[in-house]
Amino acid sequence: MERKKRASTVVRDTTWVQREYGWEKWPDILSKIKRHIASGERSLSRVLAAVMREELGTPSLARIEAISFSKHVQVANSLVCYGFYALVAEAVIAACGENTQAIVDLGCGWGRSLFEVWLRGGPSSPTYYGFDLTRAGIDCVEALAQLEPAMKVCTAEFDFYHPDYSSLSRPLEHAVVFTVSSIQQLPAIETQTYNAILDIAKAIDCLHFEQIGWQMHPGKRTAADREYALRNDYNQNLWCVLSEMSSAGKIEFCEVEPDVFGMQGIYPLTLVHWRKAQ
Ligand SMILES: C[S@@+](CC[C@H](N)C(=O)[O-])C[C@H]1O[C@@H](n2cnc3c(N)ncnc32)[C@H](O)[C@@H]1O
């Protein structure tokens, strides 16, 4: 696919991502996690909540312009901050079944969604996998996992461009795989590369929360989202890859909800839930 670029200073390559997340954002989160643990806090949910509060800003009734089902709405800051991660966790939990053996967060960052799934009552028997490009993100997940011995957590440094799923203990009957604003970080992903997800387990439910509504419905309504994606060198072809895989009979769409939620007035997240075709 030919990527159309606007005048942009951003080249979202591995060096960029390692700087932004590997050296700046996630080490800062790691030091927050360590500070809370060093102060004597031993509850995963309390550390997670405290870190999220510091990261997102104190929740409040301040009105934020957000997006809900493509519509611009004003929402209290607290709902924007916490509602979205609750939505992600509930959708992941709903995709789990009795035979689910792995819950895999690809591009997990510091692991907030992975732990949110567990804390909201995600199934207790599967292993929870946190995969990310950055060592700092993985260090955060490992530090948090120590607070919750009952949760089986496994981590690995992982690159979507060269996917290696060998740290998953296989064979797996059923895996729930999800991404939250992580494929966003790949300006373009090859179908071949993405296809490797299909080898993770015999049955797979995959949920993407990614900002791709503008790819699905190009036009005037989504033009600003497209501009934003191009300006920041965010992903430009995930929907194209998924559509190809669906046309090839490799996956079936279970739920597609464009522009379901945006924490700001632009570039909202879309939910795409697909299942591996049997
Ligand atoms: C916006 S953050 C989202 C993190 C997490 N999913 C969340 O919702 O908090 C993007 C994440 O994608 C990861 N990432 C970027 N490029 C990646 C790649 N090529 N392979 C794996 N992870 C990548 C970054 O390290 C970062 O943790």
Side-chain angles (χ1 to χ4, degrees), residues 9-21 185:
T9 52
V10 180
V11 177
R12 198 165 292 276
D13 55 11
T14 300
T15 307
W16 181 284
V17 173
Q18 285 291 7
R19 178 201 46 79
E20 181 171 354
Y21 293 98
Q185 299 287 320

Side-chain angles (χ1 to χ4, degrees), residues 17 21 26 107-109 112 132-134 158-160 180-181 185:
V17 173
Y21 293 98
W26 300 157
C108 63
R112 84 182 98 204
D132 198 83
L133 186 71
T134 65
F158 167 84
D159 185 353
F160 272 118
V180 184
S181 296
Q185 299 287 320

Side-chain angles (χ1 to χ4, degrees), residues 1-272:
M1 174 200 154
E2 192 192 331
R3 284 168 51 208
K4 299 192 180 73
K5 301 287 295 285
R6 289 282 175 280
S8 161
T9 52
V10 180
V11 177
R12 198 165 292 276
D13 55 11
T14 300
T15 307
W16 181 284
V17 173
Q18 285 291 7
R19 178 201 46 79
E20 181 171 354
Y21 293 98
W23 303 115
E24 295 174 7
K25 291 185 174 163
W26 300 157
D28 180 52
I29 295 288
L30 182 61
S31 66
K32 289 177 167 53
I33 293 169
K34 285 184 172 167
R35 177 165 46 78
H36 287 290
I37 294 174
S39 76
E41 191 55 80
R42 289 290 174 270
S43 150
L44 172 65
S45 61
R46 288 177 59 83
V47 173
L48 199 75
V51 172
M52 272 185 80
R53 190 171 292 115
E54 287 174 34
E55 188 194 22
L56 300 170
T58 306
S60 68
L61 285 179
R63 288 164 192 245
I64 298 285
E65 194 193 332
I67 296 177
S68 176
F69 294 112
S70 309
K71 299 252 180 329
H72 288 251
V73 288
Q74 291 210 324
V75 182
N77 191 25
S78 310
L79 292 181
V80 173
C81 294
Y82 297 106
F84 173 65
Y85 291 103
L87 184 153
V88 169
E90 294 298 336
V92 171
I93 292 169
C96 294
E98 281 181 5
N99 62 346
T100 305
Q101 293 168 312
I103 296 174
V104 188
D105 185 350
L106 297 177
C108 63
W110 62 275
R112 84 182 98 204
S113 295
L114 196 67
F115 291 110
E116 195 72 26
V117 171
W118 170 264
L119 290 169
R120 288 190 168 269
S124 54
S125 60
T127 302
Y128 287 68
Y129 291 90
F131 287 5
D132 198 83
L133 186 71
T134 65
R135 186 63 238 171
I138 296 303
D139 288 344
C140 292
V141 176
E142 290 175 355
L144 290 168
Q146 284 179 13
L147 300 170
E148 197 75 4
M151 180 184 179
K152 283 176 268 171
V153 179
C154 179
T155 58
E157 284 177 58
F158 167 84
D159 185 353
F160 272 118
Y161 288 121
H162 307 283
D164 174 0
Y165 295 107
S166 58
S167 51
L168 290 159
S169 74
R170 285 186 279 187
L172 291 169
E173 277 301 311
H174 180 242
V176 175
V177 180
F178 69 100
T179 71
V180 184
S181 296
S182 57
I183 294 189
Q184 170 216 52
Q185 299 287 320
L186 284 73
I189 185 159
E190 302 281 337
T191 306
Q192 282 288 81
T193 312
Y194 181 88
N195 258 325
I197 292 180
L198 296 174
D199 299 330
I200 287 180
K202 219 160 110 188
I204 298 171
D205 279 77
C206 180
L207 290 84
H208 291 300
F209 296 87
E210 301 286 344
Q211 296 86 337
I212 57 170
W214 64 272
Q215 297 176 20
M216 304 162 77
H217 299 290
K220 206 170 149 205
R221 184 182 63 77
T222 59
D225 301 328
R226 176 177 179 278
E227 270 308 306
Y228 189 86
L230 297 187
R231 202 165 59 243
N232 289 284
D233 207 17
Y234 285 137
N235 179 268
Q236 292 152 46
N237 77 333
L238 176 60
W239 181 241
C240 176
V241 167
L242 295 175
S243 304
E244 257 180 53
M245 288 175 66
S246 163
S247 302
K250 293 181 176 169
I251 62 171
E252 290 159 6
F253 291 120
C254 306
E255 195 170 14
V256 177
E257 194 58 70
D259 298 341
V260 64
F261 191 71
M263 295 204 223
Q264 50 179 353
I266 193 167
Y267 194 56
L269 289 125
T270 284
L271 164 64
V272 178

